[in-house]
Amino acid sequence: MKALVSVKRVVDYNVRIQVKPDGSGVATDGVKMSMNPFDEIAMEEAMRLKEAGKLSEIVAVSVGGPKCEETLRTALAFGADRAIHVTTDAQTQPLTVARALAAVFKQEDAKLFLLGKQAIDDDANQTGQMVAALLDCAQATFASKLELDETKVTVTREVDAGLETLEADLPAVVTTDLRLNEPRYLKLPDIMKAKRKPMKKVALAELGVEESTQLKSVKTVPPPARSKGVTVKSVDELVAKLKEKGVL
Amino acid sequence: MSKILIVGEHTGGQLAAGIAKVVAAARKLGEQIDVAVFATDGKAVAEQAATIEGVSKVLRVDRPENEHGLAAILAPQIAALVKAGGYSHVLAPGDTFGKDVLPRAAALLGAEQVSDVMAVHSPSSFDRPIYAGNAIVTVEVGGGPCVVATIRLASFNAAGAAASSAPVEAASTDAALPKHTRFVKLASQKSARPDLQSARRVVSGGRALGSAEKFKEVMEPLADKLGAGIGASRAAVDSGYCASDMQVGQTGKIIAPELYIAVGISGAIQHLAGIKDARTIVAINKDPEAPIFEVADVGLVGDLFQLVPELTQKL
Ligand SMILES: Cc1cc2nc3c(=O)[nH]c(=O)nc-3n(C[C@H](O)[C@H](O)[C@H](O)COP(=O)(O)OP(=O)(O)OC[C@H]3O[C@@H](n4cnc5c(N)ncnc54)[C@H](O)[C@@H]3O)c2cc1C
Ligand SMILES: Nc1ncnc2c1ncn2[C@@H]1O[C@H](COP(=O)(O)O)[C@@H](O)[C@H]1O
C-alpha cells in the first residue's frame, strides 16, 4: 500500500520570529528553516507503518519554491522512497496547496495521505481537510493514534471534548497531532543515502492547478505588547497583589 | 449586503457556548445572521440558538446521519445550504469542531478559509494570528464564492440574550452523504470543573509537577479554592500527568480567563500563544530567567511544591 506524506518548509519552531518594520511580513532571510514539526510526525508515522509491513511505499510531497528540496531531502532521510516537488514561486494558500496535493494523490493512486494538522507558520489548520474534500474521501484530523489495515484506518483524535475514535475506509486523509509519536533523530548514513533517492519536479500548472488569489495579506504587525509585570517576594504579597488587581 | 450562516456546533443537546461569540463576530459583518443546526433531532439546540441576540433565523437540518457531527457528513450539507441560501459568509467556532469541518466545506465551495479571526474590520477584511500569535496579519478576502472563516473565541465577548426568540425553520438539503467514515467512540473525562475555554480562572501545571499524582495533589486543591479550570503545558500532557484536552497553547486550547496561574511552566512561545488574552497572568517558577516571567503580570520565584500549597491555604 502506498502512502503520501506532505512536508512544508517553515521557520524552525525554536526561532523567535521578527515582524518586518514595513509591515510586509515576517523576516525569513537568514532564519533557520525546518520541516514543519507536524510533518515530521507524519513522516515518522509513515515510517513506522512501513517498518511494520503495512505500507510498501512512501512518497513525500512539497509545494513551493526551490528551497522545498531541502525539506524533501529531510523526508527522504527519514525514509521516504521518493519525493515530488510541486514547484511554484507564489506564496501558496491552503486551497491551492490542497488542490495540488489532491492531484498528486490521484496520480499516484495512493491509499493513505498523512499531513500535519497545521503548519506552524500560517497556523491555518486547513490543508488536510481540504484535500479530503477534493478527493471526496474520509478524513480524520488531529490523530494521536492510528491503526491501519487492508481496507480501513482507525484513528483516535484529540478533540476539545477528549479522545474521539473514528473508523475510515481507504483512501483516507489523516492529519497528525503532537502525541501520535516522537520523530526519530536522523542519522548521517540516512542523510547521505537520501541524496541519491529520486526527486521529481512538477509545476503547479502541469497538475492543472491554478493559483488561488482569494486571500491577500495586507499588513503584518507584532501583537500588542503586555505591560511590564511585577515580581513579588512571597505568597502573602502575591495574594495582596491579586486582591489589588481585583481578580480574587 | 452580507448574509451570514453560522454552523451551530452542539453536543449532548446543548448548543456550544462558543456560538454566542461567533454571533458577536457575525454582527460586525452584517445583520442577516442565520444559525444552522445539524442534528438527528435539533429542536432543543435550535431553540437555544434562537435566543441569542442578533440571530435572524435558525435552520434546523435533521438527519439521522448527523448524529456525531462528522466533518465528512456535515461539510456537503453546509456547502449545499450556503449555495441554496446565497450566503456571503460562513462561520464556525475556531475550536476542534470548527477546524475539522469548516475547511472541508470551504474546499467544496471553492473558497479559501480565514482561520482564527480575531478582529473584523469590514465584511472582507480580518485580522488573524500567525506564527503562534507572534504576528498578526490583516487579510483581504475577495474573488471567491463567499467568505469562509473560523472565529477565535478568545477574541470576542458572547452576544447576549434576545428579547424575543428568532424563528426556527426546518431545512433540508439534497446533499449526498458519504458512508466512508464511522464514529466509534468518544472518551471524555467528565469533570465538574469549569470548561477551559469559558472559565474565568485557569490554573495550569507544567513539566515541573513531575508525576500525575503530584499534578493532582498540587493543582486540584488550588483549582478548587479558586473555582478554576485546570490546564497544562504540552510537556505535562506528553508526560502523562493529565489528559490531552487540557493542553493550552498554539496547538492546544486558546483561552482568555480573567486570571491565569502558570505553575512550573517555562513559557515557551507555543504555550504563550494560548494565554495572550488572559487578563492577569501569574507565574510561579523557580527559575527567575524563565520566559514566562516576560509575560507575567505577577511573578513569584521559588519552589512550586512549597509555594502552591501555601497559596492554596492563604486564598
Ligand atoms: C509544533 C509544536 C507545538 C507545540 N504546542 C504546544 C502547546 O500548544 N502548548 C504547550 O504548552 N507547549 C507546546 N509545545 C511545546 C513547547 O515548545 C514546550 O516544550 C512546552 O511548553 C514546555 O512545557 P513546560 O513549560 O511544562 O516544560 P519545561 O520547558 O521543561 O519547563 C518546566 C519549568 O518548570 C520550572 N521548574 C522546575 N522545577 C520547579 C519547581 N520545583 N518549582 C517551580 N518551578 C520549577 C523550570 O524552571 C522550568 O521553567 C509545542 C512544541 C512544538 C514543537
Ligand atoms: N506548501 C506546502 N507543501 C507541502 N505540504 C503543505 C504545504 N502547505 C501545507 N502543507 C501540509 O498541510 C499541513 C497543514 O497546513 P496548514 O493547513 O497550512 O496549517 C502541513 O502540516 C503540511 O503537511
Side-chain angles (χ1 to χ4, degrees), chain A residues 19-86:
Chain A
V19 174
K20 293 188 201 161
D22 66 358
S24 64
V26 167
T28 51
D29 285 348
V31 170
K32 183 175 182 210
M33 306 292 284
S34 299
M35 183 187 291
N36 183 40
F38 290 99
D39 300 344
E40 286 187 358
I41 294 171
M43 263 316 303
E44 175 65 34
E45 195 64 18
M47 281 311 296
R48 290 184 189 190
L49 290 169
K50 193 173 174 207
E51 285 156 2
K54 301 203 164 160
L55 288 177
S56 53
E57 191 183 20
I58 301 170
V59 182
V61 200
S62 193
V63 184
K67 292 268 172 63
C68 287
E69 272 188 28
E70 287 168 23
T71 317
L72 285 169
R73 286 291 164 207
T74 309
L76 293 169
F78 258 105
D81 296 286
R82 53 196 173 85
I84 300 175
H85 179 189
V86 180

Side-chain angles (χ1 to χ4, degrees), chain A residues 6-8 36 39 61-63 92 94 97 101 115-119 122-127:
Chain A
S6 61
V7 295
K8 186 178 186 189
N36 183 40
D39 300 344
V61 200
S62 193
V63 184
T92 51
V97 174
L101 295 178
L115 305 87
K117 80 162 174 180
Q118 90 194 50
D122 65 14
D123 282 336
N125 198 330
Q126 303 175 4
T127 308

Side-chain angles (χ1 to χ4, degrees), chain B residues 228-239:
Chain B
I230 302 186
S233 71
R234 173 189 174 185
V237 177
D238 283 5
S239 309

Side-chain angles (χ1 to χ4, degrees), chain B residues 65-159:
Chain B
E65 295 93 331
N66 287 340
E67 189 176 358
H68 299 294
L70 300 177
I73 298 291
L74 299 192
Q77 300 178 70
I78 295 168
L81 275 191
V82 169
K83 281 188 192 151
Y87 288 94
S88 61
H89 292 74
V90 195
L91 308 180
D95 53 15
T96 53
F97 168 81
K99 286 177 172 167
D100 185 43
V101 71
L102 209 62
R104 187 164 180 129
L108 294 178
L109 289 163
E112 288 281 0
Q113 174 181 300
V114 185
S115 293
D116 298 316
V117 167
M118 55 197 299
V120 175
H121 299 302
S122 79
S124 62
S125 173
F126 309 93
D127 283 354
R128 60 172 304 261
I130 52 175
Y131 289 92
N134 289 299
I136 313 289
V137 60
T138 305
V139 294
E140 271 302 330
V141 195
C146 56
V147 176
V148 180
T150 59
I151 302 300
R152 185 173 181 274
L153 299 177
S155 301
F156 294 88
N157 290 322

Side-chain angles (χ1 to χ4, degrees), chain A residues 13 37-38 120 178, chain B residues 205-208 232-236 247-252 264-268 270-271 284-287 290 302-305:
Chain A
Y13 79 97
F38 290 99
I120 61 163
L178 293 170
Chain B
R207 190 198 312 272
S233 71
R234 173 189 174 185
Q247 181 175 312
V248 171
Q250 179 187 18
T251 52
I265 290 179
S266 61
Q270 294 86 6
H271 186 79
I284 300 177
N285 194 304
K286 71 174 181 190
D287 174 10
D303 181 12
L304 75 91
F305 295 105

Side-chain angles (χ1 to χ4, degrees), chain A residues 141 161 163 165 167 169 218 221, chain B residues 100 112 136 138 182 185 187-188:
Chain A
T141 50
L163 297 172
T165 307
E167 207 177 75
D169 293 335
V218 181
V221 297
Chain B
D100 185 43
E112 288 281 0
I136 313 289
T138 305
R182 291 168 295 278
K185 64 175 180 203
S188 57

Side-chain angles (χ1 to χ4, degrees), chain A residues 100-137:
Chain A
L101 295 178
V104 172
F105 190 86
K106 270 192 206 147
Q107 272 183 4
E108 290 287 335
D109 194 22
K111 286 284 173 288
L112 179 67
F113 201 152
L114 291 167
L115 305 87
K117 80 162 174 180
Q118 90 194 50
I120 61 163
D121 51 2
D122 65 14
D123 282 336
N125 198 330
Q126 303 175 4
T127 308
Q129 297 85 316
M130 289 182 160
V131 170
L134 298 171
L135 292 171
D136 198 8
C137 75

